Amino acid sequence: ATNTLNIHINTIKKINDIYYIGSYNGLITAHFLNDEFQIIEHYRANKKENLNTVSFDNINDLHSDNKGNLLIGSFNLEITSIDKDVVFKNPTHQFNVNDPSVFAVIDTKQYLFMATSSGLVISNNKDQSQFKVLPNYRARGFVKDNFNNIWIVTNLGTYILNLDTLNIENPNVIKVPSKTGDVSHLPSDNLRSIFKDSEGTIWITSYSDGFSKFIGNVESETFEFINYSSDQFPSRLTISLLEDSQGIYWMTTQKGLSAFNFNSGNLNLL
């Protein structure tokens, strides 16, 4: 089976049987048929010849909201429609985003969270008032878990905000500990992305120290992990993780995309 796409992939998202692939070379839409990706459209940053395309080729993250929109994080924030004609819009003024890079986006009912190169930006969806958390950190990704917590991964560690008690003017931020050489803790604070699978399990990828599965409990602040090596992938630089409808995991790396599953806790490439 074809399980590697030979481009530098940052993120991949499946929506309505279409794969949206964010790469260093723009935004790609594709079907996955007969064990291979078949490209539908490749959007490259070329506004001189095509105004209806992405503004930047380096796509860091993709997020779909409940309004049929695809939010694109690159050197800024763009929005396009999933169900209607593809028209790319830049709502930077709407969300008061003045940061040079947007690495990840997630929309809750009350807030829009943006991971940027100068911290975590939280925008109130009612009035677009903006607050910044961890301003000296490079926030690279986040996810909402099944217990209403927002997990944030940065170049200086993993942090957690609880939405039920969130005060964006003075948020209570929990730091997830890491310890090199300790198999039950995150191996590094230099992290790239975070993912929640179909069972609600949280996975965290690092730049060159593999990836980790959370097996602890946030409420009791028991932060335990199972760590996996990335040596078997095309590159040790793991970027992001996805699970498909068959329970197969897909890891994007600096040198392509790999499929794998687990058998008795052991990772098996497919």
Short mmCIF file of all heavy atoms in Angstrom, two decimals, residues 94-158:
data_model
loop_
_atom_site.label_atom_id
_atom_site.label_comp_id
_atom_site.label_asym_id
_atom_site.label_seq_id
_atom_site.Cartn_x
_atom_site.Cartn_y
_atom_site.Cartn_z
N GLN A 94 -10.64 41.26 11.85
CA GLN A 94 -11.82 40.85 12.62
C GLN A 94 -11.43 40.25 13.97
O GLN A 94 -12.08 40.47 14.98
CB GLN A 94 -12.63 39.83 11.81
CG GLN A 94 -13.85 39.27 12.54
CD GLN A 94 -14.59 38.24 11.71
OE1 GLN A 94 -14.29 38.05 10.53
NE2 GLN A 94 -15.53 37.58 12.33
N PHE A 95 -10.35 39.47 13.97
CA PHE A 95 -9.95 38.78 15.19
C PHE A 95 -8.77 39.46 15.90
O PHE A 95 -8.21 38.90 16.84
CB PHE A 95 -9.58 37.33 14.87
CG PHE A 95 -10.76 36.52 14.38
CD1 PHE A 95 -10.82 36.08 13.07
CD2 PHE A 95 -11.82 36.23 15.21
CE1 PHE A 95 -11.90 35.34 12.61
CE2 PHE A 95 -12.90 35.50 14.77
CZ PHE A 95 -12.94 35.05 13.46
N ASN A 96 -8.39 40.64 15.43
CA ASN A 96 -7.31 41.39 16.08
C ASN A 96 -6.02 40.59 16.17
O ASN A 96 -5.33 40.58 17.19
CB ASN A 96 -7.73 41.83 17.49
CG ASN A 96 -8.90 42.79 17.46
OD1 ASN A 96 -8.99 43.63 16.57
ND2 ASN A 96 -9.80 42.66 18.42
N VAL A 97 -5.69 39.86 15.11
CA VAL A 97 -4.46 39.07 15.09
C VAL A 97 -3.36 39.91 14.45
O VAL A 97 -3.41 40.19 13.27
CB VAL A 97 -4.65 37.76 14.30
CG1 VAL A 97 -3.37 36.94 14.32
CG2 VAL A 97 -5.79 36.97 14.91
N ASN A 98 -2.38 40.28 15.24
CA ASN A 98 -1.29 41.10 14.74
C ASN A 98 0.04 40.36 14.80
O ASN A 98 1.10 40.98 14.74
CB ASN A 98 -1.19 42.40 15.56
CG ASN A 98 -2.47 43.21 15.47
OD1 ASN A 98 -2.99 43.43 14.39
ND2 ASN A 98 -2.99 43.63 16.62
N ASP A 99 -0.01 39.04 14.91
CA ASP A 99 1.21 38.25 15.04
C ASP A 99 1.66 37.77 13.67
O ASP A 99 0.86 37.56 12.77
CB ASP A 99 0.96 37.06 15.96
CG ASP A 99 0.55 37.51 17.36
OD1 ASP A 99 1.43 37.87 18.14
OD2 ASP A 99 -0.66 37.51 17.62
N PRO A 100 2.99 37.55 13.51
CA PRO A 100 3.51 37.20 12.18
C PRO A 100 3.16 35.79 11.73
O PRO A 100 3.12 35.53 10.54
CB PRO A 100 5.02 37.35 12.35
CG PRO A 100 5.25 37.19 13.82
CD PRO A 100 4.05 37.76 14.49
N SER A 101 2.94 34.84 12.64
CA SER A 101 2.67 33.47 12.24
C SER A 101 1.57 32.86 13.09
O SER A 101 1.56 33.01 14.31
CB SER A 101 3.93 32.60 12.38
OG SER A 101 4.95 33.05 11.52
N VAL A 102 0.63 32.16 12.45
CA VAL A 102 -0.43 31.43 13.15
C VAL A 102 -0.19 29.95 12.90
O VAL A 102 -0.29 29.47 11.77
CB VAL A 102 -1.83 31.84 12.65
CG1 VAL A 102 -2.90 31.01 13.35
CG2 VAL A 102 -2.07 33.33 12.89
N PHE A 103 0.13 29.20 13.95
CA PHE A 103 0.48 27.79 13.81
C PHE A 103 -0.70 26.86 14.00
O PHE A 103 -0.71 25.74 13.48
CB PHE A 103 1.57 27.42 14.83
CG PHE A 103 2.88 28.11 14.60
CD1 PHE A 103 3.33 29.08 15.47
CD2 PHE A 103 3.66 27.80 13.49
CE1 PHE A 103 4.53 29.73 15.27
CE2 PHE A 103 4.86 28.45 13.27
CZ PHE A 103 5.30 29.42 14.16
N ALA A 104 -1.71 27.26 14.76
CA ALA A 104 -2.86 26.39 15.02
C ALA A 104 -4.06 27.24 15.40
O ALA A 104 -3.92 28.33 15.95
CB ALA A 104 -2.53 25.40 16.13
N VAL A 105 -5.25 26.69 15.11
CA VAL A 105 -6.50 27.41 15.37
C VAL A 105 -7.53 26.43 15.91
O VAL A 105 -7.62 25.29 15.43
CB VAL A 105 -7.05 28.05 14.08
CG1 VAL A 105 -8.29 28.86 14.39
CG2 VAL A 105 -6.01 28.89 13.38
N ILE A 106 -8.29 26.84 16.91
CA ILE A 106 -9.42 26.05 17.38
C ILE A 106 -10.51 27.00 17.84
O ILE A 106 -10.23 28.04 18.46
CB ILE A 106 -9.01 25.07 18.51
CG1 ILE A 106 -10.14 24.08 18.81
CG2 ILE A 106 -8.59 25.81 19.77
CD1 ILE A 106 -9.74 22.95 19.73
N ASP A 107 -11.75 26.66 17.49
CA ASP A 107 -12.89 27.53 17.78
C ASP A 107 -13.83 26.83 18.75
O ASP A 107 -14.32 25.74 18.47
CB ASP A 107 -13.61 27.86 16.48
CG ASP A 107 -14.64 28.97 16.65
OD1 ASP A 107 -14.58 29.69 17.66
OD2 ASP A 107 -15.51 29.11 15.77
N THR A 108 -14.05 27.42 19.92
CA THR A 108 -15.06 26.92 20.84
C THR A 108 -16.28 27.82 20.71
O THR A 108 -16.28 28.79 19.95
CB THR A 108 -14.56 26.92 22.30
OG1 THR A 108 -14.40 28.28 22.74
CG2 THR A 108 -13.23 26.19 22.42
N LYS A 109 -17.33 27.53 21.43
CA LYS A 109 -18.55 28.33 21.29
C LYS A 109 -18.33 29.77 21.70
O LYS A 109 -18.89 30.70 21.11
CB LYS A 109 -19.66 27.71 22.14
CG LYS A 109 -21.01 28.42 22.02
CD LYS A 109 -22.10 27.69 22.78
CE LYS A 109 -22.40 26.35 22.13
NZ LYS A 109 -23.57 25.67 22.76
N GLN A 110 -17.44 29.98 22.68
CA GLN A 110 -17.24 31.32 23.21
C GLN A 110 -15.96 31.99 22.72
O GLN A 110 -15.91 33.20 22.56
CB GLN A 110 -17.24 31.29 24.74
CG GLN A 110 -17.23 32.66 25.40
CD GLN A 110 -17.44 32.59 26.90
OE1 GLN A 110 -17.60 31.51 27.46
NE2 GLN A 110 -17.44 33.74 27.55
N TYR A 111 -14.91 31.17 22.45
CA TYR A 111 -13.61 31.75 22.15
C TYR A 111 -13.00 31.16 20.88
O TYR A 111 -13.25 30.01 20.52
CB TYR A 111 -12.63 31.52 23.30
CG TYR A 111 -13.08 32.09 24.62
CD1 TYR A 111 -13.47 31.24 25.66
CD2 TYR A 111 -13.13 33.46 24.85
CE1 TYR A 111 -13.89 31.75 26.88
CE2 TYR A 111 -13.56 33.98 26.06
CZ TYR A 111 -13.94 33.12 27.07
OH TYR A 111 -14.36 33.62 28.28
N LEU A 112 -12.17 31.97 20.21
CA LEU A 112 -11.29 31.51 19.15
C LEU A 112 -9.88 31.52 19.71
O LEU A 112 -9.39 32.55 20.15
CB LEU A 112 -11.38 32.42 17.93
CG LEU A 112 -10.49 32.03 16.75
CD1 LEU A 112 -11.04 30.77 16.07
CD2 LEU A 112 -10.38 33.16 15.74
N PHE A 113 -9.23 30.34 19.72
CA PHE A 113 -7.86 30.21 20.21
C PHE A 113 -6.92 30.14 19.02
O PHE A 113 -7.15 29.37 18.09
CB PHE A 113 -7.69 28.94 21.05
CG PHE A 113 -8.42 28.96 22.37
CD1 PHE A 113 -9.77 28.67 22.43
CD2 PHE A 113 -7.75 29.26 23.55
CE1 PHE A 113 -10.45 28.68 23.65
CE2 PHE A 113 -8.41 29.28 24.77
CZ PHE A 113 -9.76 28.99 24.81
N MET A 114 -5.85 30.93 19.06
CA MET A 114 -4.84 30.93 18.00
C MET A 114 -3.46 30.77 18.60
O MET A 114 -3.03 31.56 19.45
CB MET A 114 -4.93 32.22 17.19
CG MET A 114 -6.16 32.31 16.31
SD MET A 114 -6.52 34.00 15.76
CE MET A 114 -7.29 34.68 17.25
N ALA A 115 -2.75 29.72 18.16
CA ALA A 115 -1.37 29.51 18.59
C ALA A 115 -0.47 30.26 17.62
O ALA A 115 -0.50 30.00 16.41
CB ALA A 115 -1.04 28.02 18.59
N THR A 116 0.31 31.20 18.13
CA THR A 116 1.11 32.06 17.27
C THR A 116 2.58 32.03 17.68
O THR A 116 2.95 31.44 18.69
CB THR A 116 0.61 33.52 17.33
OG1 THR A 116 1.08 34.14 18.54
CG2 THR A 116 -0.91 33.58 17.30
N SER A 117 3.39 32.71 16.88
CA SER A 117 4.83 32.74 17.15
C SER A 117 5.16 33.63 18.35
O SER A 117 6.31 33.68 18.78
CB SER A 117 5.58 33.25 15.92
OG SER A 117 5.08 34.52 15.53
N SER A 118 4.17 34.33 18.90
CA SER A 118 4.42 35.14 20.10
C SER A 118 3.37 34.84 21.16
O SER A 118 2.87 35.74 21.82
CB SER A 118 4.46 36.62 19.75
OG SER A 118 3.25 37.03 19.15
N GLY A 119 3.03 33.56 21.31
CA GLY A 119 2.14 33.17 22.38
C GLY A 119 0.77 32.71 21.92
O GLY A 119 0.50 32.57 20.73
N LEU A 120 -0.09 32.45 22.90
CA LEU A 120 -1.46 32.02 22.65
C LEU A 120 -2.37 33.23 22.66
O LEU A 120 -2.43 33.97 23.64
CB LEU A 120 -1.89 31.02 23.73
CG LEU A 120 -3.36 30.61 23.73
CD1 LEU A 120 -3.70 29.84 22.46
CD2 LEU A 120 -3.69 29.78 24.97
N VAL A 121 -3.10 33.44 21.58
CA VAL A 121 -4.06 34.54 21.48
C VAL A 121 -5.47 33.96 21.66
O VAL A 121 -5.85 33.01 20.98
CB VAL A 121 -3.96 35.26 20.13
CG1 VAL A 121 -5.04 36.34 20.02
CG2 VAL A 121 -2.58 35.85 19.94
N ILE A 122 -6.22 34.53 22.60
CA ILE A 122 -7.62 34.13 22.82
C ILE A 122 -8.50 35.32 22.45
O ILE A 122 -8.38 36.40 23.00
CB ILE A 122 -7.86 33.74 24.29
CG1 ILE A 122 -6.86 32.67 24.74
CG2 ILE A 122 -9.28 33.22 24.47
CD1 ILE A 122 -6.96 32.33 26.22
N SER A 123 -9.42 35.08 21.49
CA SER A 123 -10.32 36.13 21.05
C SER A 123 -11.74 35.77 21.44
O SER A 123 -12.20 34.65 21.20
CB SER A 123 -10.22 36.31 19.53
OG SER A 123 -11.11 37.30 19.07
N ASN A 124 -12.43 36.71 22.07
CA ASN A 124 -13.82 36.50 22.45
C ASN A 124 -14.70 36.57 21.20
O ASN A 124 -14.68 37.56 20.48
CB ASN A 124 -14.24 37.58 23.46
CG ASN A 124 -15.59 37.29 24.10
OD1 ASN A 124 -16.54 36.95 23.43
ND2 ASN A 124 -15.65 37.45 25.41
N ASN A 125 -15.45 35.51 20.92
CA ASN A 125 -16.27 35.47 19.70
C ASN A 125 -17.40 36.50 19.70
O ASN A 125 -17.94 36.82 18.65
CB ASN A 125 -16.85 34.07 19.51
CG ASN A 125 -15.83 33.09 18.99
OD1 ASN A 125 -14.86 33.47 18.35
ND2 ASN A 125 -16.02 31.81 19.28
N LYS A 126 -17.77 37.01 20.86
CA LYS A 126 -18.87 37.98 20.94
C LYS A 126 -18.43 39.38 20.54
O LYS A 126 -19.12 40.08 19.80
CB LYS A 126 -19.46 38.00 22.35
CG LYS A 126 -20.16 36.70 22.74
CD LYS A 126 -20.74 36.80 24.15
CE LYS A 126 -21.46 35.53 24.53
NZ LYS A 126 -22.02 35.60 25.91
N ASP A 127 -17.27 39.80 21.03
CA ASP A 127 -16.85 41.18 20.75
C ASP A 127 -15.44 41.28 20.17
O ASP A 127 -14.93 42.38 19.97
CB ASP A 127 -16.94 42.03 22.03
CG ASP A 127 -16.08 41.48 23.17
OD1 ASP A 127 -15.22 40.61 22.92
OD2 ASP A 127 -16.29 41.92 24.31
N GLN A 128 -14.78 40.13 19.89
CA GLN A 128 -13.43 40.06 19.33
C GLN A 128 -12.37 40.72 20.23
O GLN A 128 -11.29 41.06 19.76
CB GLN A 128 -13.36 40.69 17.92
CG GLN A 128 -13.74 39.71 16.81
CD GLN A 128 -15.22 39.44 16.76
OE1 GLN A 128 -16.01 40.38 16.60
NE2 GLN A 128 -15.64 38.20 16.88
N SER A 129 -12.70 40.93 21.51
CA SER A 129 -11.66 41.39 22.43
C SER A 129 -10.59 40.32 22.53
O SER A 129 -10.88 39.13 22.50
CB SER A 129 -12.26 41.70 23.81
OG SER A 129 -12.90 40.56 24.35
N GLN A 130 -9.35 40.75 22.64
CA GLN A 130 -8.22 39.85 22.51
C GLN A 130 -7.37 39.83 23.78
O GLN A 130 -7.10 40.87 24.38
CB GLN A 130 -7.35 40.27 21.32
CG GLN A 130 -6.06 39.48 21.16
CD GLN A 130 -5.18 40.09 20.09
OE1 GLN A 130 -5.65 40.56 19.07
NE2 GLN A 130 -3.89 40.11 20.34
N PHE A 131 -6.95 38.63 24.17
CA PHE A 131 -6.06 38.46 25.31
C PHE A 131 -4.94 37.50 24.91
O PHE A 131 -5.16 36.57 24.13
CB PHE A 131 -6.82 37.92 26.53
CG PHE A 131 -7.92 38.82 27.00
CD1 PHE A 131 -9.19 38.74 26.45
CD2 PHE A 131 -7.67 39.78 27.97
CE1 PHE A 131 -10.20 39.59 26.87
CE2 PHE A 131 -8.68 40.64 28.40
CZ PHE A 131 -9.94 40.54 27.84
N LYS A 132 -3.76 37.75 25.44
CA LYS A 132 -2.62 36.92 25.10
C LYS A 132 -2.10 36.20 26.33
O LYS A 132 -1.95 36.79 27.40
CB LYS A 132 -1.50 37.78 24.48
CG LYS A 132 -0.33 36.96 23.94
CD LYS A 132 0.65 37.83 23.17
CE LYS A 132 0.05 38.29 21.87
NZ LYS A 132 1.02 39.01 21.03
N VAL A 133 -1.84 34.88 26.16
CA VAL A 133 -1.32 34.03 27.22
C VAL A 133 0.03 33.49 26.77
O VAL A 133 0.23 33.22 25.58
CB VAL A 133 -2.30 32.87 27.52
CG1 VAL A 133 -1.80 32.00 28.67
CG2 VAL A 133 -3.68 33.41 27.84
N LEU A 134 0.96 33.32 27.70
CA LEU A 134 2.30 32.82 27.39
C LEU A 134 2.94 33.65 26.27
O LEU A 134 3.36 33.13 25.22
CB LEU A 134 2.25 31.35 26.98
CG LEU A 134 1.55 30.39 27.96
CD1 LEU A 134 1.38 29.01 27.32
CD2 LEU A 134 2.33 30.28 29.24
N PRO A 135 3.05 34.97 26.43
CA PRO A 135 3.48 35.85 25.34
C PRO A 135 4.90 35.64 24.86
O PRO A 135 5.23 36.02 23.74
CB PRO A 135 3.31 37.26 25.94
CG PRO A 135 3.39 37.05 27.42
CD PRO A 135 2.77 35.72 27.67
N ASN A 136 5.75 35.03 25.67
CA ASN A 136 7.15 34.83 25.27
C ASN A 136 7.40 33.42 24.74
O ASN A 136 8.54 33.01 24.55
CB ASN A 136 8.08 35.11 26.45
CG ASN A 136 7.99 36.54 26.92
OD1 ASN A 136 7.94 37.47 26.11
ND2 ASN A 136 7.95 36.75 28.23
N TYR A 137 6.31 32.68 24.47
CA TYR A 137 6.42 31.31 24.01
C TYR A 137 5.99 31.22 22.54
O TYR A 137 5.20 32.03 22.06
CB TYR A 137 5.52 30.38 24.84
CG TYR A 137 5.94 30.23 26.28
CD1 TYR A 137 6.04 31.33 27.14
CD2 TYR A 137 6.23 28.97 26.80
CE1 TYR A 137 6.41 31.19 28.46
CE2 TYR A 137 6.60 28.81 28.12
CZ TYR A 137 6.69 29.93 28.95
OH TYR A 137 7.07 29.79 30.26
N ARG A 138 6.51 30.21 21.88
CA ARG A 138 6.09 29.90 20.50
C ARG A 138 5.03 28.81 20.58
O ARG A 138 5.34 27.62 20.65
CB ARG A 138 7.29 29.45 19.67
CG ARG A 138 7.10 29.52 18.18
CD ARG A 138 8.44 29.21 17.48
NE ARG A 138 8.32 29.30 16.04
CZ ARG A 138 8.48 30.40 15.33
NH1 ARG A 138 8.75 31.54 15.95
NH2 ARG A 138 8.37 30.38 14.02
N ALA A 139 3.76 29.20 20.59
CA ALA A 139 2.67 28.23 20.73
C ALA A 139 2.44 27.55 19.39
O ALA A 139 2.14 28.21 18.39
CB ALA A 139 1.41 28.94 21.20
N ARG A 140 2.57 26.22 19.36
CA ARG A 140 2.56 25.49 18.08
C ARG A 140 1.30 24.69 17.82
O ARG A 140 1.04 24.29 16.68
CB ARG A 140 3.78 24.58 18.01
CG ARG A 140 5.08 25.35 17.88
CD ARG A 140 6.28 24.46 18.05
NE ARG A 140 7.52 25.17 17.74
CZ ARG A 140 8.69 24.87 18.26
NH1 ARG A 140 8.80 23.88 19.14
NH2 ARG A 140 9.76 25.55 17.92
N GLY A 141 0.50 24.40 18.84
CA GLY A 141 -0.71 23.63 18.60
C GLY A 141 -1.51 23.44 19.86
O GLY A 141 -1.00 23.62 20.97
N PHE A 142 -2.77 23.07 19.70
CA PHE A 142 -3.58 22.76 20.85
C PHE A 142 -4.75 21.87 20.47
O PHE A 142 -5.05 21.65 19.29
CB PHE A 142 -4.10 23.99 21.58
CG PHE A 142 -4.45 25.15 20.72
CD1 PHE A 142 -5.38 25.05 19.70
CD2 PHE A 142 -3.85 26.37 20.93
CE1 PHE A 142 -5.73 26.12 18.92
CE2 PHE A 142 -4.18 27.46 20.15
CZ PHE A 142 -5.11 27.35 19.15
N VAL A 143 -5.42 21.33 21.50
CA VAL A 143 -6.57 20.46 21.30
C VAL A 143 -7.47 20.58 22.51
O VAL A 143 -7.03 20.90 23.61
CB VAL A 143 -6.11 18.99 21.10
CG1 VAL A 143 -5.65 18.36 22.40
CG2 VAL A 143 -7.22 18.15 20.47
N LYS A 144 -8.77 20.33 22.30
CA LYS A 144 -9.72 20.29 23.40
C LYS A 144 -9.98 18.84 23.75
O LYS A 144 -10.38 18.05 22.89
CB LYS A 144 -11.02 20.99 22.98
CG LYS A 144 -12.10 21.00 24.07
CD LYS A 144 -13.38 21.63 23.56
CE LYS A 144 -14.50 21.53 24.57
NZ LYS A 144 -15.78 22.06 24.05
N ASP A 145 -9.76 18.44 25.01
CA ASP A 145 -9.96 17.06 25.41
C ASP A 145 -11.42 16.80 25.80
O ASP A 145 -12.27 17.70 25.71
CB ASP A 145 -8.98 16.64 26.51
CG ASP A 145 -9.25 17.32 27.86
OD1 ASP A 145 -10.34 17.89 28.06
OD2 ASP A 145 -8.34 17.26 28.72
N ASN A 146 -11.73 15.60 26.24
CA ASN A 146 -13.11 15.23 26.58
C ASN A 146 -13.56 15.76 27.93
O ASN A 146 -14.71 15.52 28.33
CB ASN A 146 -13.26 13.71 26.55
CG ASN A 146 -13.20 13.14 25.15
OD1 ASN A 146 -13.23 13.88 24.16
ND2 ASN A 146 -13.09 11.82 25.04
N PHE A 147 -12.68 16.46 28.62
CA PHE A 147 -13.01 17.00 29.94
C PHE A 147 -13.00 18.53 29.95
O PHE A 147 -12.83 19.16 30.99
CB PHE A 147 -12.02 16.44 30.98
CG PHE A 147 -12.00 14.93 31.02
CD1 PHE A 147 -11.03 14.22 30.32
CD2 PHE A 147 -12.96 14.22 31.72
CE1 PHE A 147 -11.01 12.83 30.33
CE2 PHE A 147 -12.95 12.84 31.74
CZ PHE A 147 -11.98 12.13 31.04
N ASN A 148 -13.16 19.11 28.74
CA ASN A 148 -13.26 20.56 28.56
C ASN A 148 -11.98 21.30 28.94
O ASN A 148 -12.03 22.44 29.43
CB ASN A 148 -14.45 21.13 29.35
CG ASN A 148 -15.21 22.17 28.54
OD1 ASN A 148 -15.16 22.17 27.32
ND2 ASN A 148 -15.92 23.04 29.23
N ASN A 149 -10.86 20.65 28.69
CA ASN A 149 -9.56 21.29 28.86
C ASN A 149 -8.96 21.61 27.49
O ASN A 149 -9.08 20.82 26.55
CB ASN A 149 -8.59 20.38 29.62
CG ASN A 149 -9.06 20.05 31.02
OD1 ASN A 149 -9.31 20.95 31.82
ND2 ASN A 149 -9.17 18.77 31.32
N ILE A 150 -8.32 22.76 27.39
CA ILE A 150 -7.53 23.10 26.21
C ILE A 150 -6.06 22.82 26.52
O ILE A 150 -5.50 23.38 27.47
CB ILE A 150 -7.70 24.58 25.81
CG1 ILE A 150 -9.15 24.88 25.42
CG2 ILE A 150 -6.75 24.95 24.67
CD1 ILE A 150 -9.59 24.28 24.11
N TRP A 151 -5.45 21.93 25.73
CA TRP A 151 -4.02 21.63 25.86
C TRP A 151 -3.27 22.47 24.84
O TRP A 151 -3.65 22.53 23.67
CB TRP A 151 -3.75 20.16 25.58
CG TRP A 151 -4.30 19.17 26.56
CD1 TRP A 151 -5.60 18.97 26.93
CD2 TRP A 151 -3.54 18.20 27.30
NE1 TRP A 151 -5.71 17.95 27.83
CE2 TRP A 151 -4.45 17.45 28.08
CE3 TRP A 151 -2.18 17.88 27.36
CZ2 TRP A 151 -4.05 16.41 28.91
CZ3 TRP A 151 -1.77 16.85 28.19
CH2 TRP A 151 -2.69 16.13 28.96
N ILE A 152 -2.17 23.09 25.27
CA ILE A 152 -1.34 23.91 24.38
C ILE A 152 0.08 23.37 24.38
O ILE A 152 0.66 23.16 25.45
CB ILE A 152 -1.31 25.39 24.82
CG1 ILE A 152 -2.72 25.93 25.02
CG2 ILE A 152 -0.53 26.24 23.83
CD1 ILE A 152 -3.05 26.24 26.46
N VAL A 153 0.65 23.12 23.19
CA VAL A 153 2.05 22.72 23.11
C VAL A 153 2.86 23.87 22.55
O VAL A 153 2.44 24.57 21.62
CB VAL A 153 2.25 21.44 22.26
CG1 VAL A 153 1.64 20.24 22.96
CG2 VAL A 153 1.67 21.59 20.87
N THR A 154 4.04 24.09 23.12
CA THR A 154 4.90 25.21 22.75
C THR A 154 6.34 24.73 22.61
O THR A 154 6.64 23.55 22.80
CB THR A 154 4.84 26.32 23.82
OG1 THR A 154 5.62 25.92 24.97
CG2 THR A 154 3.41 26.59 24.27
N ASN A 155 7.23 25.67 22.29
CA ASN A 155 8.65 25.36 22.27
C ASN A 155 9.23 25.26 23.67
O ASN A 155 10.39 24.87 23.84
CB ASN A 155 9.40 26.43 21.48
CG ASN A 155 9.29 27.80 22.12
OD1 ASN A 155 8.24 28.18 22.63
ND2 ASN A 155 10.38 28.57 22.11
N LEU A 156 8.41 25.58 24.68
CA LEU A 156 8.87 25.54 26.07
C LEU A 156 7.91 24.75 26.95
O LEU A 156 7.71 25.07 28.12
CB LEU A 156 9.05 26.96 26.61
CG LEU A 156 10.12 27.82 25.93
CD1 LEU A 156 10.04 29.26 26.39
CD2 LEU A 156 11.51 27.25 26.21
N GLY A 157 7.29 23.72 26.38
CA GLY A 157 6.49 22.83 27.21
C GLY A 157 5.02 22.77 26.83
O GLY A 157 4.55 23.43 25.88
N THR A 158 4.27 21.97 27.60
CA THR A 158 2.83 21.77 27.42
C THR A 158 2.07 22.41 28.57
O THR A 158 2.46 22.29 29.73
CB THR A 158 2.50 20.26 27.38
OG1 THR A 158 3.24 19.64 26.33
CG2 THR A 158 1.02 20.03 27.16
#
